[in-house]
Amino acid sequence: MRHDRQLTAAELDSFGAELDALRQRTLDDLGEPDARYIRRIRAAVRLCCWSGRALLLLGWFPPTWLLGVALLGLGKILENMELGHNVMHGQYDWMNDPELRGTRYEWDIAGPADFWRHTHNHIHHSYTNVLGKDDDVGYGLVRLFPEQRWKPFYRWQPLWVTLQALLFQYSVAVQHLRLDQYVKGRMSRAELRPLLRQFNAKLLRQSVKDYLAFPLLALLLGTSAAAVLVGNLLANLIRNLWTFTVIFCGHFTERAAVFPPSVLEGESRGHWYLRQLRGSSNLTGGPLLHILTGNLSHQIEHHLFPDLPARRYAELAVEVREIAARYGQVYNSGRLSRQFGTVLRRIWKYRLA
Amino acid sequence: MYLVPLSLARRLGPALKPLRALVAGGWLQEADTDCLLRLVHPALRLKRVFARVESRVWVADDMLALGLRTNGNAHGWRPGQHVRLYRELDGVRHGRSYSLTKAEPDGRIELAVRRQPGGRFSNGLLERLEVGSLVELDPAQGELTWPHEAGSVLLLAAGSGITPLLGLLRHALAQGFAAPVTLLHYVRQRRQRAFGEELQGLMARYPNFQVRWAISGEAPAAGELAGRFQAAHLAGRPVHSLLACGPHGFVASVDDWWRAEPRAGGLQVEAFTPPAPSVGGGEQVRLRFARSHRELPGNSAVNLLEQAEAHGLRPPHGCRQGICTACTCQLLAGGVRDLRTGGLTHGPGLPIRLCVSAPLGDVELDL
């Protein structure tokens, strides 16, 4: 449970002002090292993905095949998290580089980037952990907080959540279609059609690349198409499981808070910051963990400053933690294993009314 | 050493067509493909224009002509147009526009860069852009064209306004344009007469071409005009078609002179500085930036790009004078005024260029 101090309006204002000042100090300091960093990450993504794919083309020979799967999986994780997610937040827009422009970047997963820019950048980051507003709270499949109304469907949620973890990229992709609204008749077929077309086109391209083009290339080279196909499947699976774990640890740990929609009425800048802090949770660990999570291990800092380059979150965290302590707010942070454990406990516990 | 020389890389253009089609269909990432093409030659790209610096020639005390060779993606460029040239400073890609003084079919182009007092970008080019380095360019833009049908042509240039006019002039004379052409170049100091020797050479070679300089910061010598642009400078000169290029104030006074009486020929002007911002403090408005969840006080007299930057946002931007569309952003609510034309745009959902748009009242932007 959380034990946060209630803040007065004046305290909220100064809390917001301190975080705004922190943000501005970081913005003023952005420069060459940040640009070099993201370009190195992109180079690492290319190196991992291309070498992984090349190794898979050698066939089933275990050392090369396993290394190929690992490299391709690693490349996809880096592309998804540290590169795609962060670039699409506009974290590197200040560089003015057309290849790293947040509004144009298209990432290497099933869902179209445009969809995600809406569901994630706009909806999730505006309405973080607000029930009924933020679809990311359980994605309509899982009941994670006692405040969510129970339905018989939730009885089987450990199963739903397992399926979602295995197919995470598709679950993220389909979110923007709002199929529940369509089924309930609140969205017309005409409204859905253009979205569906965009969705299908991206899905087709991704599937053709991973499950048709590269296996065919293996056939042409006289090696095993199945080795490539299975390798690509596994690499996508690794990425799905990892991103699922990181995302669920960001907002659904034991000490994460949810909010009723009424919280949004006339919400001040300071209160918005406060909600982001209370709704998010961090993971402690070394630099490798931070890079592999796309620095979403610093989910709190990410939610306070979604458009600051993620490599800055670690240094920001020192000050944010200190500010949170001064204002009597819980700074929700813990080891990956512990935080994930509490998420699993929520999934198990709230399956029942 | 590169895998192939630039001249060969330029010929790969048609061979890249299938790759371009795959990128257009979303099957390949342009950035990834470009990354591989760079291994063949550092200037080779699918669509983006890169160029290698081939020569540096000082054409005045404060102006350097850069000879560049493009990578084959520069199509239909004409002298007299302008291109934006990009350089990275402290991790940020900055761009500035320069006029094409030359654009050959073999991809060789020439830009002239003038030293700017206190300017970081242009002076950086003058001091540090060496032969062999690579720069990125945007597609050429600009509508100035040579009036081939004119009975006589008058060219009026102020300062670095000489550059687009020189490009047009060189081309027209080489093509055999035979009607009288007069060029008046306004400079402050005599040593700023850019391309002076070349212009005198052209005058010697083409009897229909005449060049005169007007000096405003020194005592004029024999044969020179004195002071800034004035009607007296044009007395007795045949004027059918007029082309003028210079700072906004210069172009405005030429325009006034032209419109003072009815004329038969055509007028083309180009200003390379934006009009001065409208005077007055402007009114207080509210700016809402939707994606960054911020609502802040703003001013109705200042462009939105500067106001967004003042509040710590970093929207993409290019020329900062409404040309390049790099800062185009969606207006979600409210209305804006175009600072160049005074034209009004009311949202929602309309694209606006932040650098030349000022809020009419409260606005909401997709930023």
Side-chain angles (χ1 to χ4, degrees):
Chain A
M1 270 336 290
R2 296 182 67 100
H3 301 284
D4 296 311
R5 184 152 65 79
Q6 285 298 313
L7 299 184
T8 64
E11 277 180 313
L12 274 177
D13 283 346
S14 65
F15 176 71
E18 285 195 49
L19 289 171
D20 274 339
L22 179 57
R23 174 190 147 83
Q24 193 59 46
R25 279 206 297 283
T26 310
L27 271 179
D28 294 341
D29 188 47
L30 294 182
E32 180 59 32
D34 302 276
R36 200 184 315 127
Y37 173 81
I38 195 65
R39 291 197 171 124
R40 282 189 179 161
I41 288 292
R42 189 176 57 184
V45 166
R46 286 173 178 156
L47 192 67
C48 289
C49 288
W50 293 349
S51 60
R53 289 195 188 278
L55 285 172
L56 288 180
L57 284 174
L58 298 177
W60 287 113
F61 180 56
T64 57
W65 188 78
L66 287 171
L67 188 61
V69 172
L71 280 170
L72 185 55
L74 177 66
K76 278 176 178 270
I77 283 172
L78 284 174
E79 202 274 342
N80 194 168
M81 312 286 268
E82 187 71 329
L83 189 60
H85 171 271
N86 291 339
V87 164
M88 288 201 293
H89 263 293
Q91 293 181 359
Y92 296 92
D93 279 357
W94 56 272
M95 284 171 63
N96 212 18
D97 181 335
E99 293 184 0
L100 296 169
R101 189 165 293 170
T103 50
R104 290 212 201 135
Y105 192 87
E106 182 63 62
W107 57 354
D108 182 36
I109 75 168
D114 287 340
F115 281 21
W116 186 85
R117 277 187 274 263
H118 180 76
T119 53
H120 181 90
N121 276 8
H122 183 57
I123 302 292
H124 169 61
H125 274 269
S126 304
Y127 306 118
T128 311
N129 279 26
V130 176
L131 291 171
K133 283 284 204 176
D134 179 5
D135 293 326
D136 282 24
V137 180
Y139 296 88
L141 286 174
V142 198
R143 181 169 179 260
L144 295 155
F145 296 92
E147 292 90 338
Q148 283 172 286
R149 197 156 49 86
W150 184 83
K151 292 180 229 165
F153 174 78
Y154 291 137
R155 209 174 281 148
W156 298 95
Q157 69 181 13
L159 178 63
W160 310 143
V161 119
T162 309
L163 286 173
Q164 192 190 12
L166 293 171
L167 302 170
F168 195 61
Q169 63 166 334
Y170 303 103
S171 122
V172 170
V174 86
Q175 194 183 357
H176 184 65
L177 294 177
R178 307 299 310 265
L179 289 175
D180 58 322
Q181 301 289 309
Y182 176 68
V183 171
K184 287 177 196 157
R186 285 184 212 154
M187 190 204 281
S188 71
R189 186 145 185 85
E191 280 175 272
L192 183 65
R193 203 173 294 127
L195 296 179
L196 213 51
R197 199 173 302 136
Q198 205 180 347
F199 174 82
N200 289 337
K202 181 76 197 284
L203 199 61
L204 178 76
R205 286 198 295 268
Q206 287 298 114
S207 320
V208 164
K209 180 168 77 174
D210 278 350
Y211 305 130
L212 195 67
F214 280 101
L216 276 180
L217 187 60
L219 269 188
L220 280 177
L221 294 173
T223 58
S224 166
V228 175
L229 184 84
V230 176
N232 284 348
L233 257 171
L234 268 180
N236 279 326
L237 184 66
I238 293 171
R239 193 256 309 264
N240 284 351
L241 292 174
W242 176 248
T243 47
F244 165 83
T245 308
V246 173
I247 302 304
F248 268 60
C249 283
H251 299 289
F252 316 130
T253 54
E254 184 185 15
R255 291 184 298 167
V258 282
F259 313 92
S262 58
V263 77
L264 297 169
E265 285 162 27
E267 189 177 55
S268 69
R269 176 96 180 138
H271 197 273
W272 182 82
Y273 271 134
L274 189 70
R275 180 158 60 80
Q276 303 302 331
L277 170 66
R278 289 179 176 175
S280 314
S281 44
N282 278 12
L283 302 172
T284 54
L288 185 64
L289 177 92
H290 296 318
I291 290 181
L292 288 180
T293 59
N295 276 292
L296 293 182
S297 48
H298 294 107
Q299 190 74 246
I300 293 175
E301 286 69 29
H302 175 58
H303 264 266
L304 295 173
F305 313 113
D307 60 348
L308 289 184
R311 70 183 286 267
R312 297 289 189 139
Y313 293 159
E315 66 185 43
L316 286 167
V318 179
E319 283 191 64
V320 171
R321 190 186 273 270
E322 184 266 324
I323 293 172
R326 252 191 300 117
Y327 285 85
Q329 303 301 309
V330 173
Y331 187 89
N332 183 350
S333 182
R335 279 197 328 271
L336 175 64
S337 53
R338 201 197 83 85
Q339 296 283 61
F340 193 55
T342 70
V343 172
L344 294 181
R345 201 173 315 134
R346 268 188 191 277
I347 293 170
W348 186 253
K349 187 169 166 191
Y350 297 115
R351 79 191 194 284
L352 299 174
Chain B
M1 255 324 276
Y2 314 138
L3 224 54
V4 300
L6 182 56
S7 52
L8 191 60
R10 284 177 48 81
R11 291 205 201 111
L12 289 175
L16 300 179
K17 230 175 158 180
L19 286 180
R20 289 200 188 95
L22 285 172
V23 166
W27 297 96
L28 279 181
Q29 297 270 5
E30 185 181 342
D32 288 352
T33 317
D34 278 350
C35 174
L36 289 176
L37 290 175
R38 282 159 74 171
L39 300 177
V40 180
H41 188 281
L44 192 61
R45 299 290 194 288
L46 272 191
K47 297 180 190 161
R48 293 166 70 175
V49 182
F50 277 72
R52 194 179 61 194
V53 180
E54 299 207 312
S55 67
R56 289 166 52 96
V57 179
W58 286 95
V59 292
D61 266 19
D62 61 350
M63 196 185 275
L64 178 77
L66 288 173
L68 302 165
R69 189 145 205 222
T70 58
N71 62 358
N73 292 340
H75 300 293
W77 288 14
R78 293 179 284 109
Q81 289 188 304
H82 47 85
V83 293
R84 210 162 35 258
L85 182 148
Y86 289 100
R87 292 275 283 163
E88 205 172 297
L89 300 169
D90 297 331
V92 183
R93 178 170 165 268
H94 293 275
R96 293 287 182 280
S97 288
Y98 300 101
S99 293
L100 292 170
T101 49
K102 215 181 259 175
E104 308 282 356
D106 67 354
R108 283 176 218 277
I109 58 166
E110 186 190 81
L111 308 171
V113 181
R114 188 179 169 199
R115 188 180 296 285
Q116 304 290 334
R120 202 158 76 113
F121 190 93
S122 288
N123 296 352
L125 297 182
L126 300 181
E127 284 149 26
R128 285 186 295 279
L129 187 67
E130 285 167 13
V131 170
S133 33
L134 280 183
V135 292
E136 183 174 7
L137 305 167
D138 262 358
Q141 294 185 324
E143 302 302 322
L144 287 184
T145 50
W146 190 264
H148 284 282
E149 309 302 321
S152 70
V153 178
L154 176 64
L155 307 171
L156 296 176
S160 53
I162 183 73
T163 52
L165 301 184
L166 176 73
L168 289 166
L169 173 72
R170 278 172 168 169
H171 191 66
L173 292 177
Q175 301 267 305
F177 184 77
V181 182
T182 309
L183 166 66
L184 298 189
H185 187 192
Y186 289 84
V187 291
R188 217 162 275 147
Q189 312 281 328
R190 195 161 289 113
R191 57 195 172 76
Q192 294 175 321
R193 291 173 302 177
F195 298 97
E197 276 176 34
E198 183 183 344
L199 287 168
Q200 268 159 345
L202 287 174
M203 190 155 67
R205 255 176 76 197
Y206 297 97
N208 62 324
F209 172 63
Q210 226 201 355
V211 59
R212 296 286 297 277
W213 282 277
I215 316 282
S216 64
E218 286 176 301
E224 288 174 347
L225 303 169
R228 290 162 167 250
F229 171 76
Q230 49 201 270
H233 290 169
L234 305 178
R237 292 183 202 282
V239 183
H240 182 264
S241 284
L242 172 63
L243 278 79
C245 182
H248 185 73
F250 171 80
V251 167
S253 55
V254 170
D255 195 66
D256 288 345
W257 173 80
W258 177 266
R259 289 177 201 284
E261 52 187 278
R263 294 172 199 281
L267 167 75
Q268 297 179 58
V269 296
E270 191 169 82
F272 51 73
T273 54
S278 54
V279 282
E283 291 157 35
Q284 289 292 311
V285 296
R286 300 292 299 171
L287 306 177
R288 269 182 52 75
F289 300 111
R291 258 189 289 145
S292 40
H293 318 295
R294 309 251 279 166
E295 187 170 338
L296 298 151
N299 185 304
S300 69
V302 183
N303 74 59
L304 286 163
L305 180 62
E306 280 173 24
Q307 300 199 55
E309 286 175 339
H311 291 306
L313 285 107
R314 302 288 177 94
H317 57 84
C319 64
R320 308 186 78 103
Q321 48 180 309
I323 299 171
C324 70
T325 73
C327 65
T328 299
C329 165
Q330 219 184 26
L331 184 62
L332 298 176
V336 298
R337 178 171 51 97
D338 189 314
L339 289 167
R340 300 163 302 172
T341 62
L344 306 181
T345 307
H346 291 274
L350 290 173
I352 56 163
R353 296 180 197 177
L354 296 177
C355 66
V356 290
S357 297
L360 275 174
D362 297 357
V363 292
E364 182 172 356
L365 297 168
D366 181 30
L367 261 185

